[in-house]
């Protein structure tokens, strides 16, 4: 059986180290906000080329707290994409904001800077660029809009650990960036986890306070905060996996290259933005006869999935935020996209097997 993602294989690949790290936490003195979290924060900041990293409970919280830290308040508009995990939009609403959906670039699936510019109003207080599937957004264009209108740019890097834009690490380019460590992510915990990374000391201090009751060191709330802590167990496992993240990202790229070479022109393979390094959280192709495609693969024990079948603005919970003119590209591509199996432990034999079924 070839699954679309397979975090258990990653555990098995580093079983002794992970088991040892878990045991160390169990036998240690602190289970919440101890040395493992502190060390992970330093190591992940180094990996993302940022000054500070703050571990939080999950990727949705990372976005929620980052939005509050850049000053998003009740009724403020935040521009983002509808071709994303619904969590991106949920976080905006959690912060009291209004999600304003801009359409995506057809070739790359990422937010279209032209549409972002059109969506700006005096109420716009932030832009969230989602590096969807691991593909970097057009950061030059987004940064120039953010600078022109003095709007903070937040990177949603939940799917893009290790991706690069023009030689810069994704997560180090905007004002603040947000990561998820959901088990299937490129860097996955054994439960929920997330992080905020930034070069901005003020934002870092605010996020640190917001993640724990509004405290800054002295157990006094200087603002209304939340409980969104990364726990020691998750941090310990993440520290083990982080050591292999660069190597695992290279493996994902090699798998994508192999798919690209083997798949015939019957399907559209993913394009990579110039001068960028994709992190291939997902390897997404397009095919017209999608249901038959998925069914045929399933019969051969290969599990392809659709990320994401319904754009956020067309989902029941978010339809009040749907733009009047719709999002033509977003609404079109959801009918043909399919995610093929993608994880570092996927073998070249399994890729060939999958490609043969598709090509035939
Ligand atoms: C693009 C994107 N943003 C945000 C999130 C939210 O992360 P989490 O599930 O850790 O809350 C996810 C996870 O699915 C995601 O893929």
């Amino acid at each position: 059986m070839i699954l679309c993602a397979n975090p258990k294989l990653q555990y098995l690949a580093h079983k002794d180290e992970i088991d040892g790290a878990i045991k160390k936490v169990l036998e240690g003195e602190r289970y919440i906000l101890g040395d493992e979290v502190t060390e992970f924060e330093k190591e992940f900041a180094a990996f993302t080329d940022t000054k500070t990293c703050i571990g939080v409970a999950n990727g949705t919280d990372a976005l929620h707290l980052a939005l509050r830290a850049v000053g998003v308040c009740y009724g403020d508009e935040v521009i983002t994409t509808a071709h994303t995990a619904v969590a991106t939009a949920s976080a905006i609403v959690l912060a009291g904001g209004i999600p304003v959906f801009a359409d995506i670039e057809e070739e790359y699936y990422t937010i279209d800077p032209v549409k972002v510019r059109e969506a700006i109003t005096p109420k716009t207080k932030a832009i969230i660029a989602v590096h969807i599937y691991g593909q970097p957004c057009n950061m030059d264009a987004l940064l120039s809009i953010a600078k022109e209108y003095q709007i903070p740019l937040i990177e949603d890097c939940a799917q893009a650990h290790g991706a690069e834009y023009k030689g810069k690490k994704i997560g180090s380019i905007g004002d603040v960036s947000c990561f998820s460590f959901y088990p299937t992510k490129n860097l996955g915990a054994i439960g929920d986890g997330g992080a905020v990374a930034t070069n901005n000391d003020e934002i870092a201090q605010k996020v640190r306070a917001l993640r724990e009751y509004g405290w800054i060191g002295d157990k006094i709330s200087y603002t209304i905060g939340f409980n969104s802590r990364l726990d020691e167990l998750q941090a310990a496992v993440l520290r083990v996996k982080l050591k292999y993240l660069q190597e695992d990202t290279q493996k994902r790229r090699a798998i994508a290259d192999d798919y690209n070479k083997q798949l015939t022109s019957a399907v559209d393979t993913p394009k990579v933005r110039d001068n960028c390094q994709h992190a291939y959280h997902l390897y997404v192709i397009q095919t017209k006869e999608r249901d038959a495609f998925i069914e045929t693969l399933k019969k051969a024990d290969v599990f392809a999935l659709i990320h994401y079948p319904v754009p956020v603005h067309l989902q029941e919970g978010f339809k009040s935020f749907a733009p009047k003119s719709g999002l033509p590209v977003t609404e079109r591509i959801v009918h043909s996209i399919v995610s093929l199996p993608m994880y570092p432990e996927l073998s070249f034999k399994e890729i060939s097997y999958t490609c043969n079924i598709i090509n035939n």
Side-chain angles (χ1 to χ4, degrees):
M1 184 160 53
I2 308 175
L3 299 173
C4 201
N6 198 333
K8 186 175 169 186
L9 287 183
Q10 199 167 50
Y11 164 59
L12 295 176
H14 309 295
K15 188 176 182 311
D16 289 347
E17 264 190 282
I18 292 174
D19 288 353
I22 290 172
K23 191 161 181 278
K24 192 173 151 215
V25 172
L26 291 175
E27 291 173 354
E29 305 291 326
R30 288 188 72 160
Y31 295 151
I32 292 277
L33 296 187
D35 292 347
E36 296 293 339
V37 171
T38 306
E39 291 308 308
F40 172 72
E41 289 178 343
K42 283 186 207 152
E43 290 159 8
F44 197 63
F47 179 84
T48 53
D49 254 336
T50 54
K51 199 167 163 193
T52 315
C53 161
I54 302 117
V56 296
N58 53 62
T60 312
D61 279 3
L63 287 161
H64 170 209
L65 303 190
L67 283 158
R68 286 184 181 263
V70 300
V72 169
C73 298
Y74 183 75
D76 289 342
E77 293 177 359
V78 179
I79 302 172
T80 193
T81 159
H83 185 61
T84 180
V86 75
T88 313
S90 302
I92 297 171
V93 178
L94 273 171
I98 298 168
V100 174
F101 297 112
D103 213 348
I104 54 172
E105 299 170 301
E106 187 135 28
E107 299 155 276
Y108 306 118
Y109 307 116
T110 47
I111 197 160
D112 184 340
V114 174
K115 302 294 170 192
V116 170
R117 190 178 279 281
E118 286 170 12
I120 287 177
T121 75
K123 284 181 159 185
T124 308
K125 289 290 151 54
I127 298 166
I128 303 181
V130 184
H131 305 296
I132 197 80
Y133 305 147
Q135 170 92 261
C137 294
N138 182 345
M139 294 307 283
D140 282 346
L142 293 172
L143 274 174
S144 105
I145 295 169
K147 202 169 160 200
E148 184 180 331
Y149 290 91
Q150 303 209 330
I151 299 168
L153 180 58
I154 299 174
E155 294 181 66
D156 181 341
C157 308
Q159 303 189 5
H161 321 64
E164 286 179 29
Y165 179 85
K166 298 189 177 173
K168 287 193 183 136
K169 275 279 173 65
I170 279 305
S172 67
I173 305 167
D175 294 280
V176 54
S177 58
C178 304
F179 290 84
S180 164
F181 305 127
Y182 183 81
T184 57
K185 297 296 195 234
N186 290 25
L187 180 62
I190 48 160
D192 278 307
V196 176
T198 182
N199 288 316
N200 180 312
D201 292 340
E202 201 185 320
I203 292 175
Q205 196 194 35
K206 282 186 181 158
V207 172
R208 215 174 269 289
L210 287 168
R211 83 162 166 191
E212 193 172 35
Y213 317 130
W215 291 351
I216 305 180
D218 53 3
K219 298 195 181 346
I220 303 292
S221 296
Y222 99 99
T223 181
I224 297 172
F226 305 87
N227 174 355
S228 181
R229 299 173 293 223
L230 179 68
D231 67 65
E232 286 286 285
L233 214 50
Q234 302 307 336
V237 173
L238 290 168
R239 288 187 69 201
V240 174
K241 291 196 182 181
L242 182 56
K243 289 195 265 176
Y244 304 98
L245 182 54
Q246 190 56 31
E247 191 184 317
D248 283 349
T249 310
Q250 300 294 5
K251 285 185 190 165
R252 286 176 184 271
R253 289 182 187 136
I255 292 166
D257 282 348
D258 211 35
Y259 270 135
N260 290 344
K261 277 186 207 126
Q262 292 198 47
L263 289 172
T264 62
S265 52
V267 297
D268 291 334
T269 53
K271 295 185 185 65
V272 183
R273 194 183 297 285
D274 281 351
N275 301 317
C276 288
Q277 297 272 5
H278 203 300
Y280 290 107
H281 171 57
L282 297 172
Y283 181 89
V284 179
I285 58 154
Q286 290 198 45
T287 172
K288 289 198 180 69
E289 292 167 59
R290 185 171 63 181
D291 291 347
F293 179 98
I294 293 175
E295 212 35 52
T296 308
L297 283 173
K298 198 168 157 190
K299 282 193 187 126
D301 258 352
V302 178
F303 292 84
L305 294 177
I306 307 167
H307 302 85
Y308 297 90
V310 183
V312 180
H313 68 295
L314 300 181
Q315 296 182 28
E316 191 60 31
F318 285 88
K319 64 183 188 197
S320 58
F321 302 112
K324 284 198 185 63
S325 53
L327 301 168
V329 180
T330 301
E331 288 164 30
R332 189 163 61 244
I333 58 116
V334 290
H335 298 292
S336 51
I337 46 172
V338 189
S339 311
L340 297 186
M342 170 57 86
Y343 47 88
E345 296 76 19
L346 191 65
S347 72
F348 288 101
K349 204 170 144 198
E350 288 169 322
I351 300 166
S352 296
Y353 173 75
T354 305
C355 291
N356 279 337
I357 300 162
I358 295 171
N359 292 341
N360 290 332

